[in-house]
């Protein structure tokens, strides 16, 4: 517990000292400053922290003097005890002292050693700093040398021509490696000639450096050699296009388009050689295509099956239909007028063109429109192929080469078409070729190739005037037809009506192709499908329908030709003129049939002739499934002529009864007869009873023979069974109506007291039974 005592003693001393200082402080409190007051307060707080002192001060029992002496004595005692303890432990302290001295010696030696190490390390640090400086210097030099090496390598790669590259360009074949070599050479030339990049040349332009000047000469030589080789290659390849039986498209794809990058090189390297190659290609392809199309067209000309001649008109003279043996040549009756299967050429778009050598060996013949289509198919495909090729091979300079390639060929096609049209009289073939021309124009528009538009327009401008000329010839033949030269005119249908019907149906069928969903006879709608606005260059004349007005030729119109319909005027386009000609041809055909009917000496025969011809025209229209206002007009005319025939046929056997009925009904329909007084006194009507009796008895005895005679006449007059049935039905129906009216007159006149002869009246049921019997027998 000595340590505790020592601490207590120290504490008491501190307390005492503090107490003394407090006492002194109290005496000088008034003279202390603020800082001393604060320190005193802290000391008092420390003094009062002792609980014993605090309690003694609280109860007033603390004597500072005695307390101080007590503390002093305690300190002395503690000091003595401490000295005794040191004396007792003097050996231990001595030994500890020796150990400490020994440790000091060891630490001194270690200190000396460490000081030596420190000295050595100080020298090494200097060496390390020197090495670090040297390393930084070497690293900078290495980086600079690497950068210089890279720049030098890049520069040399851009200007040096390797031996392998020069060998490929100078002696190697023109292939993919040659293209790559030329592209690499062009990059070197562009760098050394035009580049402003000075990254690799220390701020100098490449062409100003000594190495650049030297290599520029070598690169120019190799480049010139490449130009010569490319020129030689293209000229040699193009020369192969002129060889016979050469697959031009394969050469274009595999030998020209494959190397179009070389053409771009030539365009930048030497524009004169580029123009030379383009001109040589243009000339070579022009000659090749011209020769191919000329040969093909000449071969197809041998396959032409001439269908129509100048004598193939609707109202052809009978002598033109006879050969030297005065026999009618049936092969000349309908080829130029009957369309047959020729219309299929407008729908079979995927048909292959004619193989001329195969067709010649087989001895085949084709209408000219088939030949025209074959040539145009080849031409369109060739134009499309060349259009695509020159755009890809010559790029922006392609359109300039196109006209030079096809100029001669298109002129040849126009010339051959013009030569054919000079002696062409085939209206159907001309119209088919016009439709084909417009179809070709649509095809080119779908392919987005407009280079053939002018040629197709020129073809249309050649075809339309010729079609107008041939149509005018047909129209003149009908208008100016001499009845005496048109063959034998009997009661049956004339060949003129058949020719007209076949011709008109063929024209309308051709017009309808490509206009699905519209009526074939709708002229206004069909005209829109043609070359609207494409006027004829040389208009022949205005439509001949203006010459068919009622007041143009007095007395020309009759019941056969009703008043003209108020059809809209179609003018301005070639298609409209064609449709107007068809309408005019219909008018003139009706007039010609009327003139032909006048060859017969009786009105009944004239009507029979007209019915047979009109029926033939309608039958052909129906067989061809052609409808419209043309057919409707002929149907109306046929109905009128049938009504006239009914009257004529009944007058032959029952003329007295019909005359009596008509006169009596006319008299009874007068206003004064219809008054009440006259109606009540019907017996006062001036009617000869003997005449009525004779009519009744005559009809009852001869009506069956009359019906049989009508039946025989109808079957002999009309070759068309269906037409004959309709006529017979109308005649017998009208007979029944007349007889019914006759009976009504007798009932009205003899209303109060029927005469005795009324029992001889034939009942209508008996007449109906007889009519059904004849209908069933037929």
């Amino acid at each position: 517990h000595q340590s505790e005592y020592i601490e207590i003693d120290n504490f008491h001393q501190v307390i005492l000292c503090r107490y003394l200082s407090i006492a002194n402080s109290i005496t000088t409190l008034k003279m202390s400053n603020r800082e001393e007051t604060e320190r005193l307060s802290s000391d008092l707080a420390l003094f009062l922290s002792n609980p014993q002192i605090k309690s003694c001060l609280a109860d007033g029992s603390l004597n500072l003097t005695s307390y101080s002496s007590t503390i002093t004595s305690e300190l002395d005692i503690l000091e003595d005890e401490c000295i005794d303890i040191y004396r007792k432990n003097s050996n231990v302290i001595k030994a500890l002292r020796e150990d400490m001295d020994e440790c000091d010696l060891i630490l001194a030696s270690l200190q000396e050693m460490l000081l030596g190490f420190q000295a050595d390390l100080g020298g090494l640090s200097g060496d390390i700093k020197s090495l670090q400086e040297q390393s930084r210097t070497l690293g900078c030099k290495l980086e600079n040398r690497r950068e210089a090496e890279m720049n030098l390598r890049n520069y040399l790669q851009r200007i040096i021509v390797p031996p392998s590259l020069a060998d490929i360009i100078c002696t190697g074949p023109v292939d993919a490696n040659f293209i790559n070599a030329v592209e690499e050479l062009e990059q070197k030339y562009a760098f050394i000639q035009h580049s402003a990049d000075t990254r690799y040349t220390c701020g100098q332009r490449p062409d100003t450096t000594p190495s650049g000047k030297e290599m520029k000469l070598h690169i120019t030589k190799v480049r010139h050699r490449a130009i010569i080789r490319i020129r030689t290659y293209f000229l040699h390849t193009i020369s192969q296009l002129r060889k016979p039986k050469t697959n031009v498209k394969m050469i274009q794809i595999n030998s020209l388009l494959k190397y179009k990058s070389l053409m771009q090189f030539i365009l930048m390297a030497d524009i004169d050689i580029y123009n030379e190659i383009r001109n040589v290609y243009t000339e070579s392809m022009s000659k090749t295509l011209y020769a191919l199309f000329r040969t093909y067209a000449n071969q197809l000309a041998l396959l032409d099956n001439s269908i129509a001649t100048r004598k193939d008109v609707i109202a052809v003279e009978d002598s033109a239909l006879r050969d030297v043996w005065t026999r009618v040549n049936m092969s000349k009756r309908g080829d130029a007028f009957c369309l047959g299967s020729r219309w299929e050429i407008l729908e079979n778009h995927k048909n292959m063109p004619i193989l001329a050598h195969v067709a010649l060996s087989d001895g085949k013949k084709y209408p000219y429109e088939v030949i025209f289509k074959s040539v145009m198919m080849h031409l369109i495909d060739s134009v499309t192929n060349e259009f695509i090729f020159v755009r890809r091979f010559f790029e922006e300079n392609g359109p300039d080469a196109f006209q030079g390639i096809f100029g001669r060929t298109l002129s040849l096609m126009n010339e051959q078409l013009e030569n054919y049209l000079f002696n062409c009289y085939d209206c159907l073939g001309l119209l088919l070729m016009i439709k084909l021309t417009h179809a070709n124009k649509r095809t080119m528009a779908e392919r987005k190739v407009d280079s053939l538009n002018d040629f197709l327009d020129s073809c249309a401008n050649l075809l339309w005037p010729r079609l107008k000329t041939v149509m005018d010839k047909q129209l003149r033949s009908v208008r100016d037809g001499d009845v005496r030269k048109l063959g034998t005119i009997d009661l049956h249908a004339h060949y003129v009506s058949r020719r007209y019907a076949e011709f008109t149906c063929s024209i309308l069928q051709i017009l309808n192709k490509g206009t699905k969903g519209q009526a074939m006879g709708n002229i206004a709608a069909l005209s829109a499908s043609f070359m609207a606005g494409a006027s004829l260059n040389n208009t022949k004349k205005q439509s001949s329908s203006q010459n068919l007005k009622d007041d143009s030729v007095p007395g020309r119109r009759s019941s056969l030709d009703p008043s003209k319909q108020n059809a809209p005027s179609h003018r301005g386009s070639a298609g409209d003129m064609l449709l107007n000609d068809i309408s005019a041809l219909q008018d003139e055909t009706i007039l010609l049939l009327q003139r032909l009917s006048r060859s017969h000496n009786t009105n009944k025969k004239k009507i029979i002739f007209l019915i047979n011809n009109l029926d033939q025209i309608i039958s052909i229209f129906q067989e061809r499934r052609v409808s419209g206002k043309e057919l409707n007009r002929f149907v109306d005319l046929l109905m009128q002529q049938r009504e006239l025939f009914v009257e004529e046929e009944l007058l032959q056997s029952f003329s007295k009864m019909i005359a009596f009925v008509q006169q009596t009904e006319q008299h009874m329909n007068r206003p004064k007869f219809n008054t009440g007084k006259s109606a009540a006194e019907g017996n006062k009507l001036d009617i000869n009873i003997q005449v009525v009796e004779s009519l009744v008895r005559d009809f009852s005895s001869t009506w069956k023979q009359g019906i049989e005679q009508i039946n025989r006449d109808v079957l002999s007059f009309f070759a068309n069974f269906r037409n004959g049935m309709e006529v017979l039905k109308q005649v017998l129906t009208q007979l029944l109506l007349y007889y019914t009216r006759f009976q009504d007159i007798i009932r009205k006149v003899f209303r109060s007291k029927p005469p005795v002869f009324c029992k001889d009246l034939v009942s209508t049921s008996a007449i109906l039974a007889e009519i059904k019997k004849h209908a069933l027998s037929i």
Side-chain angles (χ1 to χ4, degrees), residues 187-200:
Q187 293 175 359
K188 296 179 184 297
Y189 181 80
F191 175 77
I192 203 170
Q193 180 71 19
H194 306 292
S195 177
D197 189 0
T198 59
R199 292 178 299 172
Y200 313 124

Side-chain angles (χ1 to χ4, degrees), residues 382-391 402 448-451:
S382 299
V383 168
T384 304
N385 180 68
E386 285 302 315
F387 182 85
I388 296 173
F389 174 77
V390 297
R391 285 294 182 92
F402 183 84
K448 298 181 180 180
V449 179
D450 57 354
S451 302

Side-chain angles (χ1 to χ4, degrees), residues 579-598:
L579 298 171
N580 287 334
D581 287 343
I582 293 175
S583 179
L585 183 62
Q586 182 183 28
D587 297 335
E588 294 297 338
T589 301
I590 293 173
L591 294 176
L592 178 60
L593 292 177
Q594 181 183 0
R595 297 199 301 273
L596 290 172
S597 67
R598 293 171 186 165

Side-chain angles (χ1 to χ4, degrees), residues 512-525:
N512 185 59
K513 298 305 175 184
T515 56
K516 294 182 180 179
Q518 299 179 2
M520 298 180 67
N522 190 348
I523 295 180

Side-chain angles (χ1 to χ4, degrees), residues 518-554:
Q518 299 179 2
M520 298 180 67
N522 190 348
I523 295 180
L526 291 176
S527 63
S529 65
F530 282 87
M531 194 178 147
S535 311
L536 297 177
N537 294 334
N538 298 317
T539 304
K540 300 295 183 180
K541 58 183 178 180
Q542 296 295 330
S543 175
S544 60
S545 61
Q546 298 296 325
N547 298 325
L548 298 176
K549 293 182 179 179
D550 292 341
D551 55 356
S552 61
V553 180

Side-chain angles (χ1 to χ4, degrees), residues 237-244 246 280 283-285 287-288:
T237 303
I238 293 172
S239 65
Q240 296 178 359
L241 299 174
R242 300 185 183 181
K243 295 181 181 180
T246 300
V280 170
E283 182 181 0
S284 299
M285 282 304 300
K287 292 180 179 179
T288 300

